[in-house]
Amino acid sequence: MQRFGTAAAPTHAIGKCLLLEDWLGAIELILQPRKGDSDAMAAIKREWWESRDPVAALTKGSPDKSLAALLLQGLVKHGAWKDYVNALHFIPRGNRLMYVHSYQSRIWNSIASRRVKEFGLKPVEGDLVMNNDKEVLCVTADNIGNYSVEDIVLPLPGHSVTYPSNEVGKWYMELLEQDKLSSEKLRCRVKDYSLSGGYRPLLIKLNDATWSPVHYDEIKVQLLQTDKDKLEGTSISHSPSGAYKAAVVKFSLPSGCYATMALRELLKKDTSWVAQQNYMQELDLPGLSPKHQ
């Protein structure tokens, strides 16, 4: 599973607007005021929402290098002609793709949670599995005994994927319809936002996870070597009889899997940015900064 930002405008909501070709809607979400904006950026956004004039907005302060600032520069060049598509192109392509992929992953997350809740951790007829040749096959009454939950894959929604032939496939269509989308509508006229789809395993088993305890006395003490420390030969010392105890967990995951989700399952605790921010505040530690949008 993938976790999502908790800003005023979640990335998946922006992605949905892009897939619906609601360019202005996407722009408005990206320019929503958000916690963590600098004073200058807050003033710039406030002016844009009041006047809808990007030139006037950018005179309210020195913009930072956030995606919102880049977008406003795009609106200066293209907004007068309502060429919102090219205004959005001032945002780096990788970030724009992140928005639509976030929507794609949100659908996948919803389906995965419901699939486990309703059918459990075993294959059922109509599921999709991937064989050793990377071929996607349908589970039938004749071959169901050949597969386990680790073989099951769920499609990332797109215009060129096969969906499960059981109830799970219907859930995809229902979720897309709720957002006024369909598999075919994911073939966007703007090529960057066109989603062909793909497949992810329903479940990944951690086979190389290890952990070790670390004792320490100061809450703010550094517990692990950074890559820089390793390159410079800087060692980190611990107190074997320290008052506090932490666990150092090590594991590896394949592409498309997220360490934050694995840690959530291991710790049975919320790993979202908001939860981490609240935890830092409880310990009176410096806060975390949300990612720029």
Side-chain angles (χ1 to χ4, degrees):
M1 282 193 171
Q2 177 176 348
R3 71 180 178 90
F4 302 92
T6 54
T11 52
H12 62 80
I14 300 170
K16 182 175 78 170
C17 285
L18 294 176
L19 292 168
L20 289 168
E21 301 186 8
D22 178 9
W23 315 122
L24 180 58
I27 287 170
E28 290 178 337
L29 289 176
I30 295 169
L31 293 178
Q32 284 282 348
R34 53 179 289 158
K35 186 177 180 179
D37 279 340
S38 65
D39 291 342
M41 180 50 66
I44 288 169
K45 286 182 177 180
R46 185 163 53 249
E47 175 61 32
W48 185 83
W49 277 98
E50 292 174 355
S51 67
R52 294 301 179 108
D53 183 344
V55 175
L58 289 172
T59 64
K60 293 298 180 179
S62 299
D64 53 29
K65 295 180 180 180
S66 68
L67 301 184
L70 293 174
L71 177 55
L72 283 165
Q73 292 168 27
L75 288 170
V76 169
K77 185 171 183 179
H78 299 286
W81 296 274
K82 298 189 184 301
D83 185 2
Y84 299 132
V85 172
N86 280 316
L88 282 160
H89 282 183
F90 271 60
I91 294 175
R93 182 173 182 270
N95 294 95
R96 288 184 284 113
L97 291 181
M98 175 191 68
Y99 294 139
V100 292
H101 291 162
S102 179
Y103 174 81
Q104 196 180 36
S105 293
R106 184 171 184 266
I107 296 292
W108 191 96
N109 284 2
S110 298
I111 296 295
S113 296
R114 188 174 177 184
R115 166 62 181 77
V116 171
K117 181 179 180 181
E118 298 204 12
F119 293 116
L121 298 177
K122 64 181 186 301
V124 296
E125 290 184 43
D127 277 341
L128 299 179
V129 293
M130 186 173 290
N131 64 17
N132 293 332
D133 296 323
K134 303 300 180 182
E135 297 174 317
V136 176
L137 308 173
C138 185
V139 174
T140 65
D142 294 330
N143 66 18
I144 193 169
N146 299 333
Y147 304 110
S148 72
V149 66
E150 293 179 54
D151 299 307
I152 299 173
V153 295
L154 291 175
L156 287 160
H159 57 74
S160 297
V161 293
T162 298
Y163 291 93
S165 60
N166 52 24
E167 287 296 309
V168 179
K170 296 178 182 178
W171 300 342
Y172 277 94
M173 302 306 110
E174 291 169 0
L175 288 179
L176 290 171
E177 287 173 7
Q178 288 174 14
D179 290 332
K180 299 180 181 179
L181 287 167
S182 66
S183 289
E184 188 53 38
K185 287 182 179 178
L186 297 180
R187 193 189 302 271
C188 189
R189 289 181 295 175
V190 178
K191 188 176 180 180
D192 278 354
Y193 309 136
S194 191
L195 296 175
S196 59
Y199 301 92
R200 284 182 183 169
L202 172 63
L203 180 148
I204 290 292
K205 191 174 181 180
L206 289 179
N207 293 315
D208 62 350
T210 63
W211 73 277
S212 58
V214 173
H215 291 82
Y216 58 102
D217 286 313
E218 297 292 333
I219 290 178
K220 298 181 182 182
V221 72
Q222 182 177 334
L223 298 180
L224 295 175
Q225 278 183 306
T226 63
D227 290 340
K228 183 173 181 290
D229 292 331
K230 293 176 182 178
L231 289 172
E232 295 177 348
T234 303
S235 61
I236 302 296
S237 61
H238 299 121
S239 174
S241 58
Y244 301 103
K245 183 167 66 173
V248 177
V249 182
K250 298 180 180 180
F251 56 85
S252 59
L253 292 170
S255 176
C257 298
Y258 294 83
T260 47
M261 295 295 99
L263 287 172
R264 187 188 72 178
E265 294 305 306
L266 286 170
L267 302 173
K268 303 302 179 186
K269 287 188 176 183
D270 188 353
T271 56
S272 69
W273 177 84
V274 171
Q276 295 302 308
Q277 179 74 8
N278 290 339
Y279 181 62
M280 298 283 274
Q281 290 175 352
E282 288 175 7
L283 297 178
D284 192 26
L285 295 175
L288 303 172
S289 297
K291 294 179 179 178
H292 287 301
Q293 284 191 1

